[in-house]
Amino acid sequence: MVACRDGQPPNPPVALTPQPGIKVDSILPTEIALERFLSSETRVDSLTHGARSRDDLIARFFDAISSRDSSALGALLVTRAEYGFLYYPTSIYSRKPYELAPDVAWMLNSGNNAKGAGRLLARLGGKRAVHIGTTCGKESDEGSNRFVTDCITRYRTEAGREESRQLFGAIMERSGRLKFLSFAGDF
């Protein structure tokens, strides 16, 4: 169906042709993409306000969930600056075959973290869960970073049931400080 305005035929379609002198950055070298990603960030060389031990990090995690404090929970995660300056340069996502632009990798990570945090707070938030212990299955190093993954956490619910779940994903350690890289768990 063709619509006419004031008896005039519709405007002809516009041809989408490149204009001289206009460049579109569709593929950038990793170094330039990272520079752009970090252009508005203040340089960091450590995990700011990171926990001093895995037990301390997990205790803060349970405190944040029990009090349903999304800000405290978010403070346990690697920040955008920490991601760009400390994590991304030595991660598998900075090189082939997994190579992703830092902004895309950050967007995917932070989106998964938001979803994971939402699930944690919806299912455990505001309830008194008591941490019993956590066992992690895999440790790996990437540059100056150490990662612990495959962690199963045992806890006692308010109702007194003992449960074991993967409540979070990777824990990142750098220079004796720890934060979560991921809240992707089995919830």
Side-chain angles (χ1 to χ4, degrees):
M1 181 183 288
V2 176
C4 295
R5 189 179 57 210
D6 300 326
Q8 300 295 318
N11 293 333
V14 176
L16 298 175
T17 57
Q19 299 297 314
I22 297 177
K23 288 186 176 182
V24 176
D25 288 337
S26 58
I27 300 176
L28 293 172
T30 300
E31 298 79 27
I32 293 173
L34 184 57
E35 184 179 305
R36 288 183 180 182
F37 177 73
L38 293 170
S39 66
S40 63
E41 299 296 329
T42 301
R43 182 163 190 74
V44 296
D45 58 6
S46 65
L47 296 173
T48 309
H49 307 296
R52 294 187 187 273
S53 70
R54 193 180 315 167
D55 288 341
D56 180 35
L57 182 66
I58 294 170
R60 290 185 197 178
F61 175 82
F62 272 88
D63 287 345
I65 290 173
S66 292
S67 61
R68 199 174 183 85
D69 188 341
S70 60
S71 292
L73 192 59
L76 301 175
L77 283 167
V78 168
T79 66
R80 179 183 165 99
E82 292 164 345
Y83 188 92
F85 285 109
L86 307 177
Y87 169 71
Y88 180 83
T90 59
S91 78
I92 62 170
Y93 301 113
S94 67
R95 58 189 181 279
K96 294 182 186 319
Y98 302 103
E99 189 174 20
L100 280 175
D103 57 337
V104 173
W106 170 252
M107 178 189 66
L108 293 171
N109 188 66
S110 58
N112 285 333
N113 283 337
K115 184 168 47 173
R119 287 178 178 166
L120 284 164
L121 291 172
R123 295 182 180 145
L124 293 176
K127 299 174 183 155
R128 186 76 183 134
V130 177
H131 180 237
I132 298 170
T134 299
T135 305
C136 298
K138 185 177 172 190
E139 293 188 18
S140 61
D141 294 322
E142 289 179 9
S144 298
N145 303 319
R146 171 163 284 262
F147 295 93
V148 179
T149 58
D150 302 329
C151 298
I152 303 298
T153 301
R154 289 183 19 247
Y155 60 96
R156 188 167 294 108
T157 67
E158 264 184 335
R161 284 190 326 273
E162 190 173 307
E163 296 197 13
S164 294
R165 291 190 167 283
Q166 183 178 348
L167 297 178
F168 47 82
I171 295 174
M172 178 176 167
E173 179 179 354
R174 185 175 180 113
S175 302
R177 296 290 185 167
L178 295 90
K179 279 189 164 181
F180 293 104
L181 180 63
S182 169
F183 282 153
D186 66 4
F187 263 132

